Amino acid sequence: MENGQEKVIIVGVETEENQRYFEESMTELSKLTMTASGKVVFTLTQKRPQVDRQTIIGKGKLQELIQQADAYEADLIIFNHEMTPRQSQLVGEAVGLPVIDRVQLILDIFAMRARSKEGKLQVELAQLEYLLPRLAGQGKSMSRLGGGIGTRGPGETKLETDRRHIRNKILGVKRELKAVEAHRERSRQKRQTSEVFQIGLIGYTNAGKSTILNLLTQADTYSKDQLFATLDPLTKKWRFAEGFEITVTDTVGFIQDLPTQLIDAFHSTLEESQNMDLLLHVVDASSPDRTLQEQTVLQLMEELKMNEMPVLTVYNKADQIDPALFTPTLFPNVLISAQSVEGKDQLIAGIKRQLMELLEPYTLLVASDEGQKLSALRRQTLVLSEHFIEAQNSYEVRGFAKKTSKWLKM
């Protein structure tokens, strides 16, 4: 271990099935390892029609892995494939080191990042459900629980190898989650009945969602150039210069091959986005894997039945590309740099255009002595113009409001 960082060897097999995105996937695994405070000392790859049923990599490559692990004094092996308990056991015994897979690594990062009670419970549930079938032959790596990558979360209190104990624990966590989810549902319904327009931020991890939330709302959330910097959904109020109040919710970043355990575990986090009036799909315009990342998000949106929702694609990180050479693939869209003042103005203009398509136009007369009514209008609707008509001693207010708004019934 160097400076508290574990020395990690990452392993991947390029097959006919994954060759299209194999390199991007390995780069992502390396970034995930760094996010989990590991240091990649060697990358071992192999080309095969399909992975070896016993050890993922072939016999010759397994020998090479043993040699490299020894030469680099590695602490841990991480495979870029979901492994069966038997596969990780066989490789672990051959190399004499703990072996984890991509899913365990992602679960581990989630355990580091979860802040809210619900986030922590959801991670714990996903980790316990992943661990349950993997108890056999965990003797060696079990003794390691409590230290290092792949061991955070529930592993911090040495997990008994008793399946019944873990099943009971899963039931307990599910019960706690139900209570927390019921509370969240009540808050969500309160927001929905309040007629407030709701915007949700979605997108591939590290595309800049938290930076955009900070840009609009000064929320000061954790936004770093790391994968999964945000885990717990965070809702903040944002007020337009004209006074219109909106809520903006940040969600967990999507990732290629997001483990199914996590789609289930974070369903309520992503469900937050299902009740939004408008989604901002944030895309890293500078990423060489942009198209793949867009497809990953669109596919997950389809799985979550969110593909019918209004979406504005926000191509972020324009400062890292030549805008003249940029060709967008998703529409409607805006191209911005969330780090610049112009970026903020362009984003707000893009959101306004979408609002005017989604909201209903109205014209209202407000008497000059109804100051409270006028300020409520500014807060609850998007006011475009206020014109004083002397003959009627009233303001003619034009703007846009939600279809359910009481202002449209006046």
Side-chain angles (χ1 to χ4, degrees), residues 284-286 290 294 315 321-329 333-335:
D284 177 353
S286 69
R290 190 190 99 204
E294 287 176 351
Y315 285 110
I321 57 162
D322 179 351
L325 301 173
F326 179 74
T327 313
T329 35
N333 64 61
V334 285
L335 173 63

Side-chain angles (χ1 to χ4, degrees), residues 270 301-302 307 359 410:
L270 296 167
M301 281 174 69
E302 206 167 310
N307 47 339
L359 301 175
M410 293 180 123

Side-chain angles (χ1 to χ4, degrees), residues 35-46:
T35 300
S37 307
K39 182 187 178 186
V40 178
V41 290
F42 188 75
T43 301
L44 184 85
T45 58
Q46 181 176 30

Side-chain angles (χ1 to χ4, degrees), residues 162-346:
D162 177 10
R163 277 198 163 84
R164 198 181 316 134
H165 169 81
I166 290 187
R167 281 203 188 97
N168 289 341
K169 209 159 176 198
I170 286 173
L171 286 172
V173 172
K174 279 185 173 169
R175 263 198 301 273
E176 271 192 84
L177 260 176
K178 273 220 159 55
V180 176
E181 278 166 11
H183 174 70
R184 185 191 284 285
E185 185 54 42
R186 285 195 294 277
S187 313
R188 189 187 294 145
Q189 280 172 350
K190 221 188 239 171
R191 280 210 304 274
Q192 279 178 306
T193 52
S194 72
E195 294 190 3
V196 173
F197 192 91
Q198 299 175 78
I199 290 179
L201 292 165
I202 58 159
Y204 207 78
T205 184
N206 202 27
K209 295 185 300 301
S210 298
T211 310
I212 283 171
L213 181 74
N214 292 340
L215 183 76
L216 295 176
T217 68
Q218 283 84 48
D220 196 27
T221 60
Y222 183 79
S223 60
K224 267 201 169 169
D225 188 17
Q226 279 184 336
L227 301 181
F228 301 123
T230 305
L231 256 202
D232 299 306
L234 175 71
T235 300
K236 286 281 168 188
K237 196 179 275 184
W238 169 39
R239 184 180 282 135
F240 272 74
E242 296 84 350
F244 186 29
E245 287 179 353
I246 280 178
T247 63
V248 187
T249 301
D250 193 5
T251 58
V252 61
F254 293 16
I255 191 168
Q256 188 195 319
D257 301 331
L258 186 71
T260 47
Q261 294 89 338
L262 284 181
I263 293 184
D264 296 343
F266 282 83
H267 214 256
S268 62
T269 305
L270 296 167
E271 256 172 17
E272 285 283 305
S273 307
Q274 289 172 319
N275 298 297
M276 298 294 153
D277 298 297
L278 172 67
L279 292 175
L280 299 185
H281 174 190
V282 185
V283 178
D284 177 353
S286 69
S287 171
D289 316 318
R290 190 190 99 204
T291 316
L292 182 77
Q293 293 177 1
E294 287 176 351
Q295 284 166 357
T296 301
V297 173
L298 296 177
Q299 198 180 325
L300 274 165
M301 281 174 69
E302 206 167 310
E303 280 174 37
L304 292 159
K305 300 184 173 52
M306 287 158 62
N307 47 339
E308 295 298 310
M309 295 175 70
V311 179
L312 171 66
T313 301
V314 181
Y315 285 110
N316 187 25
K317 308 192 185 181
D319 51 318
Q320 296 174 30
I321 57 162
D322 179 351
L325 301 173
F326 179 74
T327 313
T329 35
L330 301 175
F331 299 88
N333 64 61
V334 285
L335 173 63
I336 68 153
S337 163
Q339 306 289 355
S340 69
V341 179
E342 300 84 25
K344 184 176 181 175
D345 296 341
Q346 289 160 332

Side-chain angles (χ1 to χ4, degrees), residues 8 18 30 89 122 189 220 252 334:
V8 179
N18 70 11
S30 175
Q89 190 188 347
Q122 285 171 326
Q189 280 172 350
D220 196 27
V252 61
V334 285

Side-chain angles (χ1 to χ4, degrees), residues 339-402:
Q339 306 289 355
S340 69
V341 179
E342 300 84 25
K344 184 176 181 175
D345 296 341
Q346 289 160 332
L347 178 60
I348 292 171
I351 293 171
K352 253 188 204 167
R353 280 195 298 274
Q354 287 305 107
L355 288 178
M356 287 191 255
E357 280 186 33
L358 297 169
L359 301 175
E360 293 283 316
Y362 72 82
T363 304
L364 274 179
L365 277 179
V366 182
S368 61
D369 59 354
E370 290 187 293
Q372 271 186 313
K373 187 176 178 180
L374 198 57
S375 68
L377 251 182
R378 288 179 192 138
R379 268 199 326 276
Q380 292 165 19
T381 74
L382 178 62
V383 172
L384 291 190
S385 70
E386 289 174 37
H387 175 60
F388 187 64
I389 302 169
E390 262 184 69
Q392 289 169 291
N393 195 25
S394 296
Y395 288 95
E396 184 190 67
V397 184
R398 289 175 185 271
F400 288 83
K402 273 183 88 165

